[in-house]
Amino acid sequence: MVQKLVAIPGPTPVVRSIQNEMGREIVAFGDPSFVKDYKELLNDMMELWDATGQVFVIAGTGTMAMEMAIANTMKSGDNILIVSHGFFGNRFIEICERRGINVDLIQSEWGQIVPVADIEKKLSEKHYHAMTVTHVDTSTGVAAPVAEIGEMMKKFPETLYIVDGVCATAAEPEKLNSMNIDILLTGSQKAFGVCPGLAILWASEKALARRKSFGMIPDYYVDFEKWIPIMEDPSKYFATPAVNLIWALKESVNIIKKEGIENRYQRHIKYAKATQAALEALGFTILAEKDHRAVTLSNVLYMDGVNDAEFRKILAEEGAVVAGGLAAYAGKMFRFGHMGNIDEHYLVSVLGAIERTLVRCGIEIEMGKGVGTLLANLR
């Protein structure tokens, strides 16, 4: 059987040392050694992401973290501005509307960003209790300028700045204090390189104060107030932690610390630019505008003559799996994830599989051109 390289926007490949942590013998969640590991992980998460307030690492998904962010900061009748760069930015709409929150949406053409000046203008029109921005939308491969937006948000101190980092955190720079972010949320299965199953959310002091001002909220499992005592002292109990996934995330964070988080950011930039140059050398087009391309994935438009279903079927036979396009781009592009703990060998292998697939699809290319371009840009 051909070993298939998982090159989708998540879940991403899981390296052996992280797999080993998931395969450990289970212990009681109150075991002193586990409690110590859990607390060390939480402390590292606060330090590495320049956060004050509280970080929550609990069993769940990125979508649950989105709901957790809204449940603890917004109530019925409040106003929220949703800044959307694609399909997943729009997911906040239903989450908010189900709660009776007044939603205003500002969105870009797929492949472009919403200009910061346009966001500022919209915020100045009325009071918003919060604003959401998706750092990287996997439907478009666009990265929002979250630091620039955060600087602008200083003009609106009463509005919480919520960043969806599901496909960005641990690959794209994110610092809560210096970027003025009030809530950052993500999941374990993307740039952390851990299996799905953990929801991760940082909340600033301002966000925590907003939650406290509400008193009791209708939500139970995602309530900040239920989880704060456990995050402060993991020996306490509210709901059973995902023990082995906590160990796995701790190993992922150890890998990040060993690499150096700034080095990790630079590696993702290098890998992304090299990969995108290689894809363009083969004749593909990248959907996202060059100045706003994500480093975690590339959304790749097909050249004429390629059938999406056939391409992805043959590519799987050649040893790599990519994701299809969404919405209006379904059948017109594929999505190639290149984040987390991948290495150069992984990129060479996936690009090689793409080249072989193009040949089998009847597309004339210069064999080795994509891989050669990749390697030239990695040096």
Side-chain angles (χ1 to χ4, degrees):
M1 291 189 57
V2 175
Q3 180 183 359
K4 292 190 176 89
L5 295 167
V6 179
I8 62 175
T12 61
V14 181
V15 298
R16 177 56 58 189
S17 65
I18 293 176
Q19 291 180 35
N20 289 343
E21 293 299 308
M22 290 189 291
R24 286 173 60 175
E25 293 290 340
I26 194 71
V27 300
F29 56 79
D31 185 285
S33 64
F34 173 70
V35 170
K36 177 176 177 289
D37 288 341
Y38 201 169
K39 188 59 179 176
E40 286 177 356
L41 168 65
L42 296 170
N43 290 340
D44 284 341
M45 299 288 272
M46 291 292 284
E47 182 179 348
L48 286 168
W49 275 270
D50 181 32
T52 49
Q54 186 64 62
V55 64
F56 302 87
V57 180
I58 63 176
T61 65
T63 300
M64 193 192 79
M66 295 172 73
E67 193 149 22
M68 188 177 190
I70 299 302
N72 286 278
T73 60
M74 301 291 290
K75 61 183 186 297
S76 179
D78 283 352
N79 300 323
I80 193 166
L81 178 63
I82 295 172
V83 180
S84 177
H85 296 102
F87 181 88
F88 291 98
N90 287 355
R91 180 167 288 190
F92 273 113
I93 297 172
E94 186 176 354
I95 291 173
C96 293
E97 288 181 342
R98 281 171 174 254
R99 295 176 174 277
I101 297 165
N102 302 318
V103 173
D104 285 341
L105 174 68
I106 182 169
Q107 58 188 329
S108 59
E109 291 291 326
W110 281 30
Q112 302 174 18
I113 65 161
V114 177
V116 178
D118 291 0
I119 301 172
E120 182 176 353
K121 180 176 182 297
K122 192 71 176 176
L123 287 169
S124 67
E125 292 175 359
K126 68 180 182 185
H127 172 60
Y128 289 98
H129 298 83
M131 180 185 75
T132 69
V133 177
T134 303
H135 193 165
V136 171
D137 199 302
T138 59
S139 66
T140 62
V142 167
V146 294
E148 185 181 352
I149 295 170
E151 188 63 29
M152 178 273 294
M153 288 297 292
K154 292 177 180 178
K155 300 176 184 178
F156 304 93
E158 300 304 313
T159 301
L160 293 177
Y161 180 26
I162 300 172
V163 175
D164 172 357
V166 169
C167 198
T169 307
E172 296 269 5
E174 293 170 335
K175 296 181 182 295
L176 275 86
N177 285 331
S178 59
M179 294 184 181
N180 200 34
I181 297 169
D182 292 299
I183 288 184
L184 173 65
L185 63 97
T186 190
S188 54
Q189 77 277 19
K190 304 270 187 177
F192 281 103
V194 177
C195 285
L198 290 177
I200 304 163
L201 183 148
W202 291 261
S204 70
E205 297 287 358
K206 186 165 69 172
L208 295 173
R210 174 75 61 85
R211 163 63 193 94
K212 195 168 284 291
S213 72
F214 291 168
M216 183 178 289
I217 64 173
D219 303 86
Y220 184 72
Y221 183 74
V222 298
D223 185 356
F224 285 175
E225 294 293 303
K226 292 290 186 182
W227 283 108
I228 288 172
I230 288 77
M231 297 300 103
E232 292 177 345
D233 179 3
S235 67
K236 296 180 179 178
Y237 176 78
F238 168 57
T240 305
V243 174
N244 290 60
L245 282 173
I246 295 294
W247 279 331
L249 184 61
K250 188 174 192 300
E251 172 59 15
S252 171
V253 170
N254 287 340
I255 290 170
I256 292 170
K257 289 166 65 178
K258 185 176 180 180
E259 181 177 13
I261 195 163
E262 297 300 330
N263 292 334
R264 189 178 183 88
Y265 295 150
Q266 290 304 311
R267 173 172 61 82
H268 276 85
I269 292 170
K270 181 174 75 170
Y271 281 8
K273 287 183 175 180
T275 299
Q276 289 156 4
L279 292 164
E280 289 174 326
L282 290 172
F284 293 108
T285 302
I286 308 300
L287 175 63
E289 293 181 331
K290 196 162 188 175
D291 290 343
H292 303 293
R293 291 177 182 174
V295 302
T296 50
L297 81 159
S298 298
N299 292 37
V300 189
L301 295 166
Y302 292 115
M303 64 283 284
D304 291 341
V306 177
N307 176 275
D308 172 57
E310 180 189 24
F311 176 87
R312 290 192 287 126
K313 176 179 178 293
I314 294 173
L315 182 61
E317 294 172 0
E318 291 292 340
V321 179
V322 294
L326 298 174
Y329 285 93
K332 298 178 181 178
M333 74 177 181
F334 67 92
R335 296 178 295 145
F336 175 3
H338 37 74
M339 72 189 98
N341 299 314
I342 61 169
D343 56 19
E344 293 185 9
H345 174 71
Y346 168 91
L347 294 174
V348 168
S349 298
V350 176
L351 261 296
I354 289 172
E355 290 193 10
R356 296 192 300 274
T357 299
L358 288 173
V359 171
R360 288 181 60 184
C361 287
I363 303 299
E364 290 188 12
I365 63 165
E366 178 187 336
M367 284 295 289
K369 187 172 184 180
V371 172
T373 302
L374 175 81
L375 292 172
N377 281 273
L378 287 175
R379 299 281 74 83

